[in-house]
Amino acid sequence: MLARNDRKSNYAKFSKYGLTLCIILALMLACFQESTAGTLITLEGCRERALVNSEDLRVEKTRREQAHLRTREQRTHYLPKVTASGHYLDSRNRFEWDVESSLFDPLGRIISPATINPLTGRPINDVSGHHIMKQTAYYTKVEARQPLYMGGKINAANRMSEVAERISLKAVEAKRQDVIVEADQTYWRFVAVGEKLQSARKYVELLEALEAKVNHAVETGLVHRNELLKVRVRRNEALLDLERAKNGRELLRMSLCRIMGFDPGTSLKIADEEITIPAADELPEAPVLSVIDRPDYRMLEDKVDLTRENERLVRSDFLPRVGITAGYHYLGGIELYQTSLEGRGYYLLASAEIPLWQWGEGKYKTQSAKLDSHIAQLELEKYKKLMKLEIRQAFFAMSEAHSRCAMTEAALEEAEANMEMSRDFYELGMEQLTDHLEAQSRRQQAEAEHITAKSEFKIEETNYHRSLGKCP
């Protein structure tokens, strides 16, 4: 009985450990299959990861935070500045006074103004043996300075900082759209080269099947060996194209990994295995030439506002300035005839500075600042026209890319029909091998052109949305 119980307990332990081992092996197998299949990537996921990992976008966001801090810094100029200072003097030089009035000692007796004996160079002592004047002193104060009127300089500087912060926000949006365009371009080209790779493999398989048939015909003496060499030449060319497609796909994979922040060796699996093109009636109509949504246009508008505020800032340098200073001070350490001469108390100081004559400096600087505003306005009008032209060009490019897709699709259908007909005629002995190889080559070329046209349409579609300032 005891042996039987021991066998049961050992069997239970073995079953427990075996179940744990099976679970671990299953998890490892699932991880291996996932790593082998690659990370699944969608267009939206590619955009999101590109926005998160873009170094240029992070730089623009940092500049936006910097502009916000400058705005807060400028607001502090409305508030008083409080400072504290202290001074201490310990001098070994001789103190001499050259005054007409005499000094009196505590008993009312007149003494000579000179406190230094010119023969010995030492301080003169009074009747008690103390120096007439102590040679150390200290002075401390705490004060607050409040500007009352600075010619509008503080207001202009604050408005300029606010405009600069708005520009930084729009710069972040412009860079965000640039990142999306780059991600879209790389994504669709990666999808296109994947389609081309599959097409190239099918073409190689087609040529290999044809080579086997021709080789069999050569062995049976039906055709000359020269026909087999023609097929092998085309097969070698197809293999070279296949190798180029593999290398291109690998480079685009690494570029896509860089954009999304993945390790360069990460395997990727694209959700869109084939590019789909919308119908012609689903395309947007001719756009209204409005550039108000473009971040770069709004940046130019803010630049005009910035130059106008700079004009006020320059003018403020030649206007009166008024301010007040209030504080508390203390003076001590000075003794004369063993009598401490201390001073303390509050004080209030009002100051005004009025520029009177600078030989026209203010006039010239103000006029130069006005011309800067005029230049900014002219540049705004110039780039507004160029942006409208860019919108029209982007729309035409998208429309042409869609038309090219339709034409290449029709050419592909014709090439496929021609290849099938050529194959039938070749098998019946009614067509030469070179003509059949040419038909296969045309079909392969037509498919590659159609894939390229589809990817270019997707890229032009994204460029069109960016030209309107409406990137997703």
Side-chain angles (χ1 to χ4, degrees):
M1 292 294 296
L2 292 175
R4 184 178 302 174
N5 291 334
D6 290 340
R7 286 197 299 271
K8 288 183 179 180
S9 62
N10 293 334
Y11 179 76
K13 290 180 181 180
F14 179 77
S15 300
K16 179 180 178 180
Y17 293 146
L19 180 61
T20 304
L21 182 61
C22 290
I23 293 174
I24 294 175
L25 290 176
L27 292 175
M28 292 177 63
L29 181 60
C31 293
F32 176 76
Q33 290 178 350
E34 182 179 359
S35 62
T36 303
T39 304
L40 183 63
I41 300 298
T42 62
L43 180 61
E44 291 75 14
C46 179
R47 290 171 177 173
E48 292 175 359
R49 292 197 62 88
L51 293 174
V52 171
N53 294 280
S54 173
E55 293 85 359
D56 295 335
L57 186 59
R58 286 202 293 267
V59 169
E60 292 298 337
K61 289 182 178 180
T62 305
R63 289 174 178 169
R64 180 189 62 186
E65 295 176 1
Q66 193 177 36
H68 178 66
L69 293 176
R70 290 198 183 104
T71 301
R72 298 186 63 179
E73 173 198 352
Q74 289 297 329
R75 290 174 183 169
T76 62
H77 294 300
Y78 288 112
L79 305 176
K81 301 294 187 294
V82 181
T83 59
S85 62
H87 307 277
Y88 177 78
L89 175 65
D90 184 4
S91 178
R92 295 295 180 260
N93 296 329
R94 299 183 299 176
F95 290 90
E96 297 184 2
W97 290 263
D98 187 8
V99 294
E100 296 180 357
S101 59
S102 300
L103 300 177
F104 294 88
D105 63 7
L107 300 178
R109 293 175 298 185
I110 299 175
I111 64 172
S112 172
T115 61
I116 301 296
N117 190 332
L119 298 178
T120 63
R122 298 180 61 80
I124 300 176
N125 300 332
D126 57 12
V127 294
S128 302
H130 297 91
H131 296 332
I132 294 177
M133 187 170 193
K134 192 174 180 181
Q135 290 179 288
T136 60
Y138 52 88
Y139 176 73
T140 60
K141 66 175 180 178
V142 177
E143 65 179 13
R145 298 179 181 179
Q146 175 63 51
L148 299 180
Y149 177 72
M150 304 300 290
K153 187 171 187 176
I154 297 179
N155 291 333
N158 272 271
R159 287 193 292 266
M160 289 181 68
S161 64
E162 291 173 359
V163 173
E165 186 174 1
R166 293 203 307 267
I167 291 176
S168 66
L169 289 172
K170 296 174 180 64
V172 171
E173 174 61 21
K175 183 58 65 177
R176 188 190 74 86
Q177 295 191 10
D178 291 342
V179 171
I180 289 178
V181 169
E182 183 185 8
D184 281 18
Q185 290 177 350
T186 309
Y187 179 86
W188 289 120
R189 285 171 180 165
F190 184 71
V191 175
V193 78
E195 284 192 54
K196 290 181 180 180
L197 185 60
Q198 295 296 328
S199 176
R201 287 172 178 167
K202 292 180 180 178
Y203 184 47
V204 170
E205 292 175 359
L206 184 64
L207 289 174
E208 288 177 348
L210 181 61
E211 180 185 4
K213 291 181 180 180
V214 175
N215 187 38
H216 180 69
V218 170
E219 291 177 352
T220 57
L222 296 177
V223 296
H224 196 272
R225 183 175 175 80
N226 184 37
E227 300 295 315
L228 178 61
L229 296 178
K230 292 177 182 179
V231 178
R232 288 179 176 175
V233 168
R234 289 298 180 93
R235 187 203 61 179
N236 292 335
E237 293 177 354
L239 289 174
L240 181 59
D241 292 338
L242 178 62
E243 188 66 23
R244 289 172 179 170
K246 290 180 179 179
N247 293 336
R249 191 174 189 275
E250 181 66 15
L251 290 175
L252 286 171
R253 183 195 62 78
M254 295 178 66
S255 180
L256 201 58
C257 288
R258 178 192 63 82
I259 291 174
M260 294 188 296
F262 289 152
D263 186 84
T266 304
S267 178
L268 300 180
K269 182 181 179 182
I270 299 297
D272 299 284
E273 296 182 357
E274 184 177 354
I275 303 175
T276 57
I277 302 299
D281 56 353
E282 297 178 0
L283 292 179
E285 298 180 356
V288 178
L289 299 180
S290 175
V291 297
I292 193 64
D293 293 327
R294 291 184 57 142
D296 48 355
Y297 174 75
R298 288 178 289 165
M299 288 171 65
L300 290 174
E301 285 184 327
D302 290 335
K303 183 180 178 182
V304 174
D305 296 338
L306 192 66
T307 54
R308 289 172 181 169
E309 296 300 334
N310 182 64
E311 180 183 340
R312 297 185 179 95
L313 186 68
V314 171
R315 187 185 300 114
S316 66
D317 290 334
F318 305 96
L319 295 177
R321 301 180 183 182
V322 180
I324 59 173
T325 302
Y328 176 81
H329 72 98
Y330 176 76
L331 174 65
I334 301 177
E335 294 183 3
L336 184 63
Y337 285 104
Q338 301 185 42
T339 301
S340 177
L341 302 179
E342 294 184 353
R344 69 182 67 188
Y346 298 94
Y347 61 90
L348 179 65
L349 174 67
S351 60
E353 180 181 347
I354 303 175
L356 297 178
W357 185 252
Q358 292 88 18
W359 302 97
E361 179 186 0
K363 174 184 176 182
Y364 300 141
K365 284 189 174 182
T366 303
Q367 290 179 349
S368 177
K370 287 182 178 180
L371 291 178
D372 288 337
S373 300
H374 184 60
I375 291 172
Q377 185 65 40
L378 292 176
E379 290 180 345
L380 175 64
E381 296 299 326
K382 169 190 173 183
Y383 286 108
K384 182 178 181 180
K385 296 176 182 178
L386 292 176
M387 289 175 188
K388 289 182 177 180
L389 180 60
E390 183 182 354
I391 293 174
R392 182 65 70 179
Q393 289 175 340
F395 177 75
F396 288 155
M398 183 184 65
S399 301
E400 291 175 5
H402 190 271
S403 300
R404 194 179 305 114
C405 289
M407 288 186 291
T408 55
E409 184 178 7
L412 176 59
E413 292 176 355
E414 294 174 357
E416 287 180 350
N418 180 55
M419 185 186 69
E420 292 176 0
M421 187 180 300
S422 174
R423 183 183 63 232
D424 295 339
F425 286 167
Y426 173 73
E427 291 178 353
L428 295 174
M430 301 173 59
E431 185 171 336
Q432 298 292 329
L433 177 62
T434 54
D435 296 334
H436 181 47
L437 290 174
E438 185 65 24
Q440 290 180 341
S441 177
R442 287 175 185 171
R443 189 266 174 199
Q444 177 65 21
Q445 184 178 0
E447 185 175 12
E449 290 177 355
H450 182 55
I451 294 172
T452 302
K454 291 191 296 182
S455 64
E456 290 300 323
F457 169 77
K458 288 295 186 180
I459 293 173
E460 294 297 340
E461 186 180 25
T462 304
N463 289 333
Y464 171 68
H465 288 303
R466 181 177 63 169
S467 68
L468 293 174
K470 298 179 179 179
C471 261

